[in-house]
Amino acid sequence: MSTAILERREATAGPAAGDPRRAMLALARFESLRLLRHPVTVIGVLLFIAPWLYGWISGRANRYPVLQEADWSNQFLALLTLGGAALVATNLAALRAYRHRTTAQYDVLVLPASWRTGAFLLSVVPFAAVVAVLVGVRVGGLALLPGAAGRINPYELAAYPAVVLLLGAVGVLLARLVRMTIVAPLVLLALVVATFAGVLAPFPGARQLKWLLPISVDEPPMPLPVDLMTRPAGRHLAYVVGLVVVVAVAALAVAGARGRRLLGTAAVGLAVAVLAGSVQLLPVSGPVKAARAAAVEQPATMQTCRRIEQVTYCAFDDFAPWIGAWDTVVRGVLRAVPEQEARRPLAVRQRVSIDDRPVIGGQVSGPEDRAAIGEQWRRIDAAAGTPNAVTVGTQWGDAQAEVELAGLVAYEVVARKGPGVDGTVCGARGVLTGWLAGQATPKAAAGLRELDANSSGGVTFFDPSFSVGMWVPDREMAVARALLQRPAAEVAEVVRRSWAELSAAETPAERVGEIFGVPVPPLPPVQERTVCTA
């Protein structure tokens, strides 16, 4: 009978003595559940998904995402919320025995300290898997939208769970080095500050050095086609994976683990981290530089053009799904102008700004630079067979983007001056441009109200990435706002009848007031008047 009791005890007992691997895995499962249910983890997940859920529930989510930007643009938020949760929660778990003053009792267990450390390290894996699912669902949902542009880089998506694994391992290592719970939050704060400060660091080489951090917010001045992207996503992922191995081995070593296998693993992890970390700092390759230059100087060679009635739209292939949305805005402007004007050929060309092209790109310093850009755009359009094309950028889906395109199309229809328009539009042309832009679509109207509310002295119509555009002063915008309060069809009828007078450069704003019977603000003092240049 006693033999039977012993057999039952052996059958119901936990891991067999001398088999720490099974005990470690059992502890890892237990700790992984505690990690997933930890308040810090739950808060981190909620903070990560909150902006996404709010956008979808409120209807403010962008229906025209650029996938090659969406796949990495939330990595900083993930570092702060998900990575921070892994760092703090695993640190607290690994310090639990010390915090509860039960460290001595652990010495009587069959599981040595190094194996318990291994269990804490493994407990982060399920949380990383949850993060991978969250990111996959979010970006996958964006990819399914009809207006999605570009394509997803899987290396960028894999960086999210990799960062969680890294910071979780750092939390365990810190617990083995310092028995103070305040250290992990301080390390997280320092990491966040270093990552964010890397964006603003003005010293040379900062752009490459940012890639030595777990994530990099190396942001181009505007979304670019996939073939022009320069983020070393694959090499950086390998670098982070190497760091995960190095930090995990360090935690095991501090806990007392020894052996050739551990030493070999550390050597492999260190070699991967050093090699991948060095390779990711290499400058942009020549072919990519040439492609970026061609995108600026010869965009027609990389674009697909589509003609809808009399309007030709030319877009980089990644952004071709947006042509229908652009056409909606253009039709909104054209429906309010005389038929003979609406039937005239019109072109819309997408352009990009590259930060290492200072004159052609976003670092424009004066009128001469802006004039040079306009002249170059005119040469490009003439050579491509689409003269005087209106410029559109690579951001779409919000009210500001719609009203910027509507304003540029409106001015082209009114003045027929071609791309690169730069300066102040006064008089009847300014009023007509503001009204045509504001009545184009409901979202353009909202964008005009937003621009008007946030501007001082007037409203600008251009993509800020190019630093080239036109500006309508407050006086003309006051008349345009008064017209926008009236039924659009009623105003459009008068606009068509008086088109020649309203579109003439010499017609003053007072004449618009006389035609429509709306008040026109008085001219400001001479010293405060703007110079009309467009």
Side-chain angles (χ1 to χ4, degrees):
M1 181 175 179
S2 59
T3 302
I5 293 174
L6 289 175
E7 290 176 348
R8 283 199 298 273
R9 284 180 178 175
E10 290 178 354
T12 56
D19 186 11
R21 185 176 289 102
R22 292 181 58 188
M24 181 188 70
L25 294 177
L27 179 59
R29 287 194 294 271
F30 175 77
E31 291 295 342
S32 65
L33 291 176
R34 294 197 65 159
L35 175 60
L36 291 174
R37 295 181 302 188
H38 197 284
V40 174
T41 305
V42 174
I43 293 173
V45 171
L46 291 177
L47 290 176
F48 179 71
I49 66 175
W52 171 35
L53 293 179
Y54 175 76
W56 285 102
I57 294 174
S58 65
R60 297 184 178 182
N62 189 357
R63 306 288 176 176
Y64 300 89
V66 182
L67 298 180
Q68 57 265 34
E69 185 179 72
D71 57 10
W72 66 267
S73 58
N74 281 312
Q75 287 180 358
F76 182 76
L77 178 62
L79 171 76
L80 181 62
T81 58
L82 304 175
L87 174 62
V88 174
T90 55
N91 184 257
L92 290 174
L95 286 174
R96 188 181 306 120
Y98 173 75
R99 292 188 293 113
H100 295 173
R101 302 181 188 279
T102 58
T103 305
Q105 299 177 18
Y106 279 73
D107 293 336
V108 302
L109 300 179
V110 296
L111 198 62
S114 59
W115 289 87
R116 293 200 300 272
T117 300
F120 287 122
L121 292 170
L122 290 176
S123 70
V124 188
V125 175
F127 182 32
V130 171
V131 171
V133 172
L134 281 177
V135 174
V137 169
R138 178 185 177 278
V139 180
L142 293 176
L144 294 176
L145 292 174
R151 62 178 182 268
I152 298 169
N153 186 336
Y155 295 127
E156 296 285 11
L157 295 187
Y160 290 83
V163 167
V164 169
L165 286 174
L166 175 61
L167 294 194
V170 170
V172 177
L173 175 61
L174 290 176
R176 292 295 175 255
L177 293 173
V178 185
R179 291 182 173 180
M180 296 176 63
T181 56
I182 190 63
V183 174
L186 290 178
V187 169
L188 175 62
L189 177 62
L191 186 58
V192 170
V193 170
T195 304
F196 185 71
V199 183
L200 307 175
F203 50 85
R207 184 171 179 178
Q208 282 73 29
L209 294 177
K210 287 186 298 184
W211 287 97
L212 296 179
L213 295 167
I215 63 108
S216 175
V217 284
D218 184 17
E219 186 174 4
M222 63 193 306
L224 297 175
V226 172
D227 295 338
L228 306 184
M229 298 291 287
T230 58
R231 290 176 58 84
R235 288 166 281 171
H236 184 68
L237 177 62
Y239 166 70
V240 174
V241 170
L243 289 182
V244 171
V245 174
V246 170
V247 173
V249 169
L252 293 171
V254 173
R258 297 292 184 272
R260 293 182 178 177
R261 185 177 300 177
L262 189 69
L263 188 60
T265 304
V268 171
L270 185 61
V272 170
V274 172
L275 180 61
S278 302
V279 172
Q280 68 177 345
L281 302 183
L282 294 175
V284 178
S285 66
V288 174
K289 282 185 176 179
R292 291 164 73 100
V296 174
E297 299 169 358
Q298 300 172 332
T301 60
M302 306 173 68
Q303 293 180 331
T304 298
C305 293
R306 177 183 169 193
R307 186 182 178 102
I308 302 178
E309 297 182 8
Q310 81 285 18
V311 184
T312 301
Y313 299 91
C314 296
F316 292 97
D317 292 345
D318 290 348
F319 299 87
W322 293 359
I323 289 178
W326 295 342
D327 187 63
T328 301
V329 175
V330 173
R331 298 296 159 193
V333 174
L334 295 180
R335 70 166 175 256
V337 306
E339 186 175 354
Q340 67 272 18
E341 293 295 331
R343 287 182 176 179
R344 293 179 61 178
L346 185 67
V348 175
R349 181 173 298 282
Q350 190 177 39
R351 306 182 200 274
V352 294
S353 174
I354 308 297
D355 52 357
D356 55 0
R357 311 286 295 177
V359 175
I360 304 168
Q363 302 175 23
V364 179
S365 58
E368 295 80 9
D369 290 339
R370 295 195 292 270
I373 292 174
E375 181 57 32
Q376 186 194 39
W377 285 355
R378 279 186 282 276
R379 289 199 306 270
I380 291 171
D381 294 335
T386 55
N388 297 336
V390 174
T391 295
V392 66
T394 56
Q395 291 177 316
W396 191 254
D398 59 8
Q400 183 172 338
E402 283 206 13
V403 78
E404 287 168 357
L405 176 59
L408 293 175
V409 171
Y411 185 72
E412 173 59 21
V413 173
V414 170
R416 299 291 177 180
K417 286 193 173 181
V421 57
D422 183 63
T424 304
V425 185
C426 302
R429 280 187 170 181
V431 176
L432 191 54
T433 298
W435 178 79
L436 285 172
Q439 61 81 50
T441 66
K443 188 171 281 188
L448 186 62
R449 289 193 294 271
E450 182 180 335
L451 286 179
D452 206 14
N454 297 326
S455 65
S456 175
V459 171
T460 55
F461 295 95
F462 72 102
D463 188 325
S465 300
F466 300 110
S467 301
V468 178
M470 62 176 186
W471 184 66
V472 178
D474 274 342
R475 185 167 180 260
E476 281 73 10
M477 283 305 305
V479 183
R481 286 195 299 272
L483 296 179
L484 287 169
Q485 299 300 318
R486 297 183 176 182
E490 175 186 310
V491 178
E493 183 61 30
V494 179
V495 166
R496 295 189 192 99
R497 286 202 309 267
S498 309
W499 180 262
E501 189 175 11
L502 291 173
S503 61
E506 63 274 10
T507 304
E510 286 78 2
R511 179 57 183 151
V512 183
E514 295 171 2
I515 292 175
F516 290 95
V518 295
V520 179
L523 282 168
V526 176
Q527 63 273 18
E528 297 179 8
R529 293 177 188 175
T530 56
V531 179
C532 304
T533 56

